[in-house]
Amino acid sequence: MMKHVAFLCSRVFSVRLRLVVRFPSVSHPVLCQLHTFRRHSSSIPKMYSIIERGSPNTLNYRLFVCDADGPVSPFHDIPLHATADKTVFNMVVEVPRWTNAKMEISRTEPLNPIVQDVKKDKLRFVHNCFPHHGYIWNYGALPQTWENPQCLDESTGCKGDNDPVDAVEIGFRVAKRGEVIQVKVLGVMALIDEGETDWKLITIDVNDPLASKLDDIKDVDETFPGLLKATHEWFKIYKIPDGKPANQFAFNGEAKNREFALRVIDETHKHWESLANTTEAVSIERTCMTGESSFKIDRLRAEEIVHKCSEVGPAAPIDPIVDKWHFVEIK
């Protein structure tokens, strides 16, 4: 029997404004796209918004995340935990479901804005590997985590990929780029990407109508039959159209349970704490607005970082080849 669930309403409201922002400590106004996200949930401690700079689908596009006081780092300033009991986590959405642009939190720019990944001076878009179109879930990362490239992971036998821990969010709603959502962690897959550990957390928005029915990885197959299988396939084949081999997984591709996933989060959070507090030279930009870090800057400097980026402009056209179907067969 086919399982089908109809969703009748959304609990999230998004307001999109085009306006001129005049930061109190910057003499020149900043033209930007401002998106404010309001969510109905008692578990959410604060509201985040975004400021867009540059033109989407170009090399100069930047998306900054802001709290009520101004720009912050989505890597270092947004708390990992969204609730005092540490059962709900913040997730920064980099890529909304069904889109192709490979967006990510920058590791190298001040305040770590969300940017489009670039390879050989060209913007990256993920291929549509039939029957999957773009990303098949909302995709992003957990703040204040870091997969340490100097540390060998005992579970996978590979070192980390130098990024925050990735997460997929499987709820019904298509999230917005740069949105900070609150998620329940259900499990994790261990992708081995070109010899590096690249954890993929399986999560669901706590405001999703079905969130109360999912507490662990076994519940995903029961509630969303076929989704874990499709997720494994997506990560396995998405680089094949580029001429690369299929990705490999630890644990034979098995999705590990919530308890295992929480250990991964705890370990990568400890790696992030070491990263944030060390004064040794590393490849990660650690500019931040909160805490006692030696890399903390004031609001004036943060506003100047945003102001120095290109003014917001219209989105550039996307090459139609991005919509091409790729029929991949794994032999």
Side-chain angles (χ1 to χ4, degrees):
M1 178 181 296
M2 180 180 294
K3 296 184 179 180
H4 177 74
V5 180
F7 301 109
L8 301 179
C9 64
S10 170
R11 301 183 183 184
V12 182
F13 300 88
S14 172
V15 179
R16 176 171 177 151
L17 303 171
R18 181 178 174 90
L19 75 167
V20 174
V21 175
R22 186 178 294 277
F23 292 122
S25 50
V26 176
S27 59
H28 302 290
V30 176
L31 181 64
C32 61
Q33 290 282 110
L34 174 67
H35 304 245
T36 300
F37 303 107
R38 296 181 176 90
R39 297 164 58 78
H40 293 283
S41 172
S42 60
S43 67
I44 300 172
K46 63 174 65 178
M47 181 174 65
Y48 292 94
S49 59
I50 63 170
I51 291 178
E52 293 182 284
R53 298 288 283 168
S55 298
N57 311 319
T58 70
L59 295 171
N60 70 4
Y61 178 72
R62 300 291 181 271
L63 186 153
F64 291 90
V65 178
C66 303
D67 64 12
D69 297 316
V72 297
S73 165
F75 197 156
H76 306 299
D77 289 321
I78 297 173
L80 170 62
H81 300 101
T83 55
D85 62 6
K86 299 184 177 182
T87 59
V88 177
F89 297 85
N90 283 313
M91 172 183 164
V92 180
V93 177
E94 298 165 315
V95 186
R97 187 170 76 232
W98 296 329
T99 62
N100 297 79
K102 193 176 188 304
M103 309 299 296
E104 59 186 16
I105 294 171
S106 172
R107 296 182 302 197
T108 59
E109 297 185 21
L111 291 179
N112 311 102
I114 294 174
V115 302
Q116 189 162 354
D117 191 22
V118 176
K119 187 170 184 180
K120 296 182 179 178
D121 298 322
K122 292 185 177 180
L123 298 172
R124 290 187 65 189
F125 295 86
V126 298
H127 298 291
N128 301 306
C129 295
F130 186 85
H132 311 303
H133 184 274
Y135 287 75
I136 61 174
W137 357 247
N138 296 312
Y139 187 80
L142 265 56
Q144 298 187 342
T145 61
W146 180 50
E147 298 193 53
N148 191 338
Q150 303 302 321
C151 248
L152 195 68
D153 190 288
E154 293 182 359
S155 300
T156 65
C158 298
K159 295 180 179 180
D161 70 350
N162 204 31
D163 281 324
V165 174
D166 296 325
V168 303
E169 190 282 314
I170 63 174
F172 83 98
R173 187 179 66 89
V174 178
K176 304 293 185 182
R177 182 184 296 165
E179 189 174 353
V180 180
I181 62 177
Q182 287 64 51
V183 298
K184 179 190 294 187
V185 171
L186 306 172
V188 66
M189 289 183 177
L191 178 67
I192 306 301
D193 190 353
E194 299 184 16
E196 297 176 329
T197 300
D198 190 4
W199 295 107
K200 305 296 182 184
L201 295 166
I202 313 297
T203 74
I204 189 167
D205 189 324
V206 295
N207 290 305
D208 191 271
L210 293 181
S212 61
K213 296 184 177 182
L214 291 94
D215 294 308
D216 214 322
I217 200 67
K218 63 179 178 59
D219 302 323
V220 177
D221 266 336
E222 295 174 3
T223 308
F224 301 120
L227 181 57
L228 288 179
K229 181 180 179 181
T231 297
H232 176 269
E233 179 181 84
W234 193 97
F235 282 119
K236 189 177 183 70
I237 68 176
Y238 83 100
K239 289 186 177 181
I240 291 179
D242 288 324
K244 295 184 177 182
N247 277 324
Q248 302 300 309
F249 292 81
F251 319 118
N252 294 317
E254 173 192 359
K256 307 299 281 186
N257 64 16
R258 171 180 169 82
E259 181 181 2
F260 190 101
L262 293 179
R263 290 201 299 269
V264 169
I265 295 172
D266 183 62
E267 180 178 334
T268 54
H269 180 56
K270 289 176 180 176
H271 285 311
W272 171 82
E273 289 179 322
S274 297
L275 171 72
N277 293 315
T278 184
T279 56
E280 296 180 9
V282 295
S283 61
I284 301 294
E285 172 60 53
R286 290 170 284 179
T287 303
C288 63
M289 303 301 302
T290 58
E292 302 301 324
S293 169
S294 58
F295 304 98
K296 184 177 179 179
I297 61 174
D298 59 28
R299 289 291 171 185
L300 174 60
R301 174 63 183 136
E303 292 158 3
E304 288 175 343
I305 290 170
V306 175
H307 177 69
K308 286 180 179 178
C309 294
S310 302
E311 289 192 358
V312 66
I318 298 175
D319 190 327
I321 197 66
V322 171
D323 292 325
K324 178 182 176 180
W325 279 122
H326 295 268
F327 296 87
V328 176
E329 182 180 9
I330 301 176
K331 298 181 180 179

